[in-house]
Amino acid sequence: EAGVTQSPTHLIKTRGQQATLRCSPISGHTSVYWYQQALGLGLQFLLWYDEGEERNRGNFPPRFSGRQFPNYSSELNVNALELEDSALYLCASSFGQYNEQFFGPGTRLTVL
Amino acid sequence: AQKITQTQPGMFVQEKEAVTLDCTYDTSDPSYGLFWYKQPSSGEMIFLIYQGSYDQQNATEGRYSLNFQKARKSANLVISASQLGDSAMYFCAMRDEIYNQGGKLIFGQGTELSVKP
């Protein structure tokens, strides 16, 4: 069974640009979560999608947004990039909101 | 507000010995779940073990066990017979399971475990 996949592995952008990160959940999982792991700030919850809808978001500005597609894959968009957006972005999926979350390998975003 | 505290930034253990990684939590929710994840240098988070707040027995998964002390609000991870491949960052996490937070995980700051040969 394939695990959670994320693309790209690395992404380099300049300040003010937009970044798009992608995530494919484990087959059969309907919930997708996004977390940011920035140096010195630990892992912070960003967004939760389930059945195509945004269900919950963490304490992040509106320039962090995303969507979930009918096949349950998800996209995270970060607009107007700032230097402090440099981080590892981890996607996780679960079968329902109260089962274990399985994480992908992450996308490392660097903003110059 | 929910909070997870891991007070050990780094730990060393000799290969084949047992090690305990500390985790304390704070929540006013009656129903919650506690997790441990391992993050090797590659970055991927690997699920290790889960403990529900109403579980009567401590969770075990192979060499991993969770020492759950509800009254003290602690959920320490015990790794028995450490192996070199256990060297990694370890994160304790919690989620609210009653107020429809959608399984959002709150993470501690992590403990970096180094296993010495």
Side-chain angles (χ1 to χ4, degrees):
Chain A
E1 178 184 288
V4 177
T5 60
Q6 291 185 246
S7 63
T9 305
H10 295 88
L11 190 56
I12 300 175
K13 294 285 186 178
T14 56
R15 197 169 48 184
Q17 285 188 316
Q18 180 199 39
T20 299
L21 289 64
R22 296 179 178 84
C23 171
S24 291
I26 291 171
S27 177
H29 286 190
T30 60
S31 280
V32 171
Y33 305 82
W34 288 95
Y35 293 87
Q36 182 197 65
Q37 188 175 23
L39 206 60
L41 293 178
L43 277 144
Q44 295 183 286
F45 168 74
L46 252 170
L47 289 159
W48 167 43
Y49 292 96
D50 185 63
E51 298 288 353
E53 300 285 331
E54 179 182 307
R55 305 292 185 182
N56 199 2
R57 66 181 292 128
N59 188 24
F60 283 84
R63 58 190 186 82
F64 286 84
S65 65
R67 52 181 171 167
Q68 186 178 34
F69 299 99
N71 66 354
Y72 302 114
S73 66
S74 176
E75 197 173 85
L76 174 68
N77 295 296
V78 188
N79 294 319
L81 284 165
E82 299 179 3
L83 297 178
E84 51 266 34
D85 296 334
S86 294
L88 179 67
Y89 289 83
L90 291 162
C91 171
S93 74
S94 68
F95 178 67
Q97 60 181 295
Y98 292 133
N99 289 306
E100 296 82 54
Q101 294 180 24
F102 295 90
F103 283 77
T107 292
R108 189 164 295 281
L109 173 64
T110 302
V111 183
L112 303 174
Chain B
Q2 296 176 319
K3 188 178 179 181
I4 290 278
T5 303
Q6 294 179 253
T7 57
Q8 307 154 312
M11 289 277 288
F12 288 93
V13 65
Q14 205 68 36
E15 191 179 9
K16 298 180 185 176
E17 290 186 351
V19 64
T20 298
L21 306 183
D22 294 341
C23 172
T24 57
Y25 61 92
D26 190 20
T27 182
S28 56
D29 301 328
S31 180
Y32 51 89
L34 296 157
F35 300 78
W36 277 92
Y37 283 87
K38 171 185 177 182
Q39 187 178 41
S41 55
S42 59
E44 186 169 353
M45 298 285 283
I46 301 167
F47 166 73
L48 295 178
I49 197 166
Y50 165 81
Q51 178 86 40
S53 58
Y54 290 115
D55 292 343
Q56 295 295 315
Q57 295 195 334
N58 287 341
T60 60
E61 289 285 350
R63 294 186 299 111
Y64 304 107
S65 61
L66 200 153
N67 184 0
F68 181 46
Q69 297 187 42
K70 196 170 183 177
R72 297 180 60 186
K73 293 190 175 181
S74 74
N76 298 339
L77 176 71
V78 180
I79 306 175
S80 62
S82 297
Q83 302 172 356
L84 296 177
D86 293 336
S87 294
M89 280 290 286
Y90 288 80
F91 290 94
C92 181
M94 175 172 64
R95 91 181 156 203
D96 160 28
E97 294 184 346
I98 196 168
Y99 293 121
N100 197 29
Q101 290 296 300
K104 174 180 80 173
L105 292 174
I106 307 295
F107 286 87
Q109 290 298 101
T111 295
E112 185 168 8
L113 177 67
S114 298
V115 181
K116 294 182 172 182

